[in-house]
Amino acid sequence: MMKNKPLILVVDDQLPNILLLEGFLVRQGYEIIQAESGAKALEKLSCNQVDLVLLDVKMPGMSGFEVLAKLRANEKTQRIPVVMITANTENEDKLKAFESGCDDFISKPFDQYELVARVKSLLRIKFLNDKVDEALAFAESVINTVREPLISLDQDLRVVTANHSFYETFKVTPETTIGQFIYDLGDRQWDIPKLRVLFEDILPNDTVFNDYEVEHEFQGIGRKTILLNARQIFRENIGSHIILLAMEDITERKLAEKKLQDKNTELERFTYTVSHDLKSPLMTIQTYAGMITQNLETGKYGRAQDDLKRIENATAKMTLLINDLLKLSQIGIMMNDPTPVDMNLLVMDCLAQLAGPLKQKLVEVVLQPHLPTLLGDSQRLTAVLQNLIENSIKYMGDQAAPRIEVGTRQEGEEIVFFVSDNGAGIDPLHHETIFGLFNKLDTKSQGSGVGLALVKRIVEVHGGRVWVESEGVGKGSTFCFTLTKSFCRSES
């Protein structure tokens, strides 16, 4: 609630003196409250919104200097203007008064016009200071409503203010932030080369800079990509400047952009490869369909049957490719609810389905006992193991004693599943690319080249990762995958 009149506290142990001052000041439109001792003055200050204090120096009990010291020590009253009044004209008292923090000093007997002039001047200064405080409080409120981290720096690059979002985002406190050199924040984790370029090379020449990207590993919150907007504000009246630095955490956005870019690249490759791979059997069908027509017209029925067989093979290849693509497209869209999956039974089922190829190539299978029970999509996990085992069979090479091992190993807190073989092996150059869509190291091998891409997609939907370990060609391969902890409900 706003006051109609400035409130002045008059403190003097002599009531006539109080009444004299009150008479002068009331006529000027001021409101007066009285205190006849230092203790009563402090009491009045605690329960009134006082704008100015007229304080007698010499009083019994608590002197004016003692009252002033307590007033200046209290955060609520330390900025109230104080005029000290005394009958002593010695400079020693004046010096002591100003050193104690008073704003003005008047000796008795005083001139009423001089007194009123000094009171008006000090109240004007207080009014302006109050406006500054209100503006600062408003600015601080605005800053703290900004969702992004925001700090202001002085011309020496020391932190003047920081908003709540800055403290929360970077896990720091006002005590370890305000007044600190920007590069020293958080055990010097802000001593970032690109940040130095911004402050030392760019801002001295440009007062405004937008969308300056900095990537850095921050203690406690990990690697972040921060977008910086900087404004340099010059304060000509005091010959200095401040820097406002707004920060936006775009880490998730950058990851999403990278993921989208990867998906677009994969889609382009997918479109090209599908059109290429479908074009081949279609051309085969078209060619042999024409030849069948010619052979039937000329009575060469035996050749027509051979041509029909080739058409059947081409359509089978198309069907395989389309079915594999449909399976891949459904991952992440058509997923079953997670259920407990006994990996021992699941692997045994996969081996039973691949019994023919295993027997044909005389592959010895070693199954590690006591595999864990997981929480996941049984159908999709079956596809993962079946594709990995089938891949090992397909690329066994000319190994005299082919062998496949299926099991797990513990790496820290992770359970790593693996399918290991002593087959053809994989050059380290291809360890990443083999999980891409249609990436076949042996273009003459059977299959569409979708299998490992399918494995990668299923594992990632389960929150895990997949990779291959191989020392090189002819040294066998070990395909490994993990699942996120939410799926790894391990039970022996």
Side-chain angles (χ1 to χ4, degrees):
M1 183 174 176
M2 294 184 63
K3 296 183 298 182
N4 294 324
K5 300 178 180 180
L7 181 62
I8 298 175
L9 172 62
V10 179
V11 187
D12 198 307
D13 61 316
Q14 299 295 321
L15 183 57
N17 291 338
I18 293 178
L19 295 175
L20 178 64
L21 289 167
E22 185 174 358
F24 294 152
L25 297 170
V26 168
R27 288 196 298 270
Q28 299 298 321
Y30 301 121
E31 185 178 349
I32 306 300
I33 56 176
Q34 305 172 2
E36 296 178 18
S37 68
K40 287 183 179 180
L42 295 175
E43 183 181 335
K44 294 288 179 71
L45 283 165
S46 67
C47 58
N48 291 279
Q49 192 174 343
V50 175
D51 295 301
L52 184 140
V53 178
L54 294 176
L55 181 60
D56 189 25
V57 171
K58 297 190 181 299
M59 294 184 295
M62 187 184 299
S63 72
F65 293 121
E66 291 175 286
V67 174
L68 180 61
K70 291 182 179 294
L71 187 145
R72 291 294 181 241
N74 189 326
E75 187 176 347
K76 292 182 179 180
T77 60
Q78 61 186 199
R79 298 189 66 182
I80 297 175
V82 176
V83 179
M84 301 202 79
I85 302 174
T86 182
N88 193 342
T89 58
E90 294 295 330
N91 287 332
E92 184 178 340
D93 268 3
K94 289 184 179 180
L95 181 60
K96 184 177 180 181
F98 285 119
E99 287 178 347
S100 300
C102 84
D103 298 275
D104 209 340
F105 189 96
I106 295 179
S107 299
K108 298 176 185 177
F110 48 79
D111 181 85
Q112 62 173 308
Y113 299 107
E114 179 186 357
L115 172 67
V116 170
R118 295 192 183 195
V119 166
K120 283 184 177 180
S121 176
L122 288 173
L123 286 174
R124 177 63 180 167
I125 293 171
K126 182 181 185 298
F127 173 78
L128 295 175
N129 285 335
D130 288 346
K131 289 295 182 183
V132 170
D133 290 343
E134 288 175 12
L136 289 174
F138 177 76
E140 188 174 347
S141 298
V142 171
I143 287 172
N144 283 321
T145 60
V146 176
R147 294 177 60 185
E148 289 77 22
L150 180 68
I151 61 173
S152 63
L153 308 173
D154 64 17
Q155 60 187 7
D156 298 320
L157 300 182
R158 294 189 179 276
V159 180
V160 178
T161 58
N163 67 351
H164 294 316
S165 180
F166 180 85
Y167 298 129
E168 291 173 3
T169 301
F170 296 103
K171 311 301 180 189
V172 292
T173 63
E175 293 74 21
T176 59
T177 303
I178 302 301
Q180 294 295 313
F181 190 43
I182 181 67
Y183 303 134
D184 291 339
L185 289 178
D187 295 327
R188 296 193 64 79
Q189 64 175 315
W190 284 83
D191 191 3
I192 307 169
K194 285 196 73 174
L195 197 61
R196 283 186 174 271
V197 171
L198 174 63
F199 288 135
E200 298 169 18
D201 296 339
I202 298 175
L203 277 179
N205 300 312
D206 297 298
T207 57
V208 176
F209 200 89
N210 293 322
D211 299 335
Y212 188 78
E213 196 171 299
V214 173
E215 186 175 351
H216 188 65
E217 186 80 26
F218 289 95
Q219 183 179 337
I221 62 173
R223 192 158 198 84
K224 295 289 182 181
T225 303
I226 306 295
L227 202 61
L228 302 178
N229 290 335
R231 297 285 187 280
Q232 193 166 198
I233 302 172
F234 290 94
R235 299 184 290 182
E236 296 179 2
N237 58 325
I238 58 175
S240 67
H241 65 267
I242 60 171
I243 298 170
L244 293 179
L245 188 65
M247 311 169 194
E248 181 184 358
D249 183 355
I250 60 169
T251 308
E252 294 299 325
R253 191 177 88 191
K254 296 293 286 187
L255 291 174
E257 288 174 355
K258 176 66 166 59
K259 189 174 182 180
L260 180 61
Q261 184 180 3
D262 291 344
K263 291 293 182 184
N264 286 336
T265 302
E266 181 182 347
L267 182 61
E268 290 176 5
R269 181 184 176 87
F270 173 87
T271 304
Y272 172 80
T273 310
V274 168
S275 62
H276 179 271
D277 283 21
L278 286 178
K279 186 177 180 181
S280 178
L282 283 171
M283 289 181 64
T284 300
I285 292 170
Q286 183 180 22
T287 300
Y288 283 104
M291 294 178 68
I292 287 173
T293 301
Q294 293 177 6
N295 289 331
L296 289 176
E297 289 175 349
T298 57
K300 299 176 181 178
Y301 301 111
R303 288 188 179 182
Q305 284 186 331
D306 292 340
D307 294 340
L308 282 171
K309 186 67 176 175
R310 291 186 176 94
I311 288 175
E312 288 178 2
N313 291 338
T315 56
K317 182 178 179 182
M318 284 181 62
T319 301
L320 174 64
L321 177 61
I322 291 170
N323 286 339
D324 282 348
L325 291 174
L326 286 173
K327 289 178 185 176
L328 185 66
S329 67
Q330 291 172 350
I331 302 302
I333 300 174
M334 298 178 62
M335 290 287 290
N336 300 313
D337 292 334
T339 57
V341 180
D342 186 334
M343 294 300 288
N344 300 283
L345 297 178
L346 187 145
V347 174
M348 291 297 292
D349 182 55
C350 291
L351 293 175
Q353 293 184 49
L354 296 171
L358 288 168
K359 184 177 181 180
Q360 184 181 357
K361 289 204 172 184
L362 303 175
V363 179
E364 176 193 3
V365 178
V366 178
L367 176 58
Q368 191 181 96
H370 310 302
L371 295 179
T373 294
L374 302 181
L375 191 65
D377 184 334
S378 175
Q379 182 180 343
R380 301 302 185 195
L381 292 175
T382 299
V384 169
L385 267 300
Q386 188 166 329
N387 271 286
L388 292 179
I389 295 171
E390 192 173 12
N391 192 74
S392 291
I393 297 171
K394 188 186 300 181
Y395 295 102
M396 188 57 70
D398 299 326
Q399 180 61 246
R403 184 175 185 272
I404 294 175
E405 182 181 358
V406 181
T408 65
R409 65 178 190 244
Q410 192 76 30
E411 290 187 0
E413 297 183 357
E414 285 188 319
I415 299 174
V416 178
F417 295 83
F418 64 82
V419 175
S420 184
D421 64 64
N422 61 347
I426 301 169
D427 191 303
L429 292 174
H430 303 301
H431 283 189
E432 295 291 334
T433 58
I434 58 170
F435 293 100
L437 193 60
F438 305 117
N439 283 346
K440 295 170 63 176
L441 296 183
D442 182 1
T443 56
K444 296 179 181 179
S445 64
Q446 295 181 348
S448 62
V450 175
L452 291 180
L454 189 70
V455 168
K456 184 174 185 289
R457 187 74 60 85
I458 293 172
V459 170
E460 287 178 349
V461 167
H462 279 77
R465 56 193 179 92
V466 62
W467 68 96
V468 65
E469 298 169 352
S470 177
E471 294 181 5
V473 177
K475 297 185 179 181
S477 303
T478 300
F479 283 85
C480 307
F481 70 90
T482 64
L483 304 183
T484 188
K485 286 183 181 179
S486 60
F487 290 101
C488 290
R489 299 291 185 263
S490 177
E491 299 173 9
S492 296

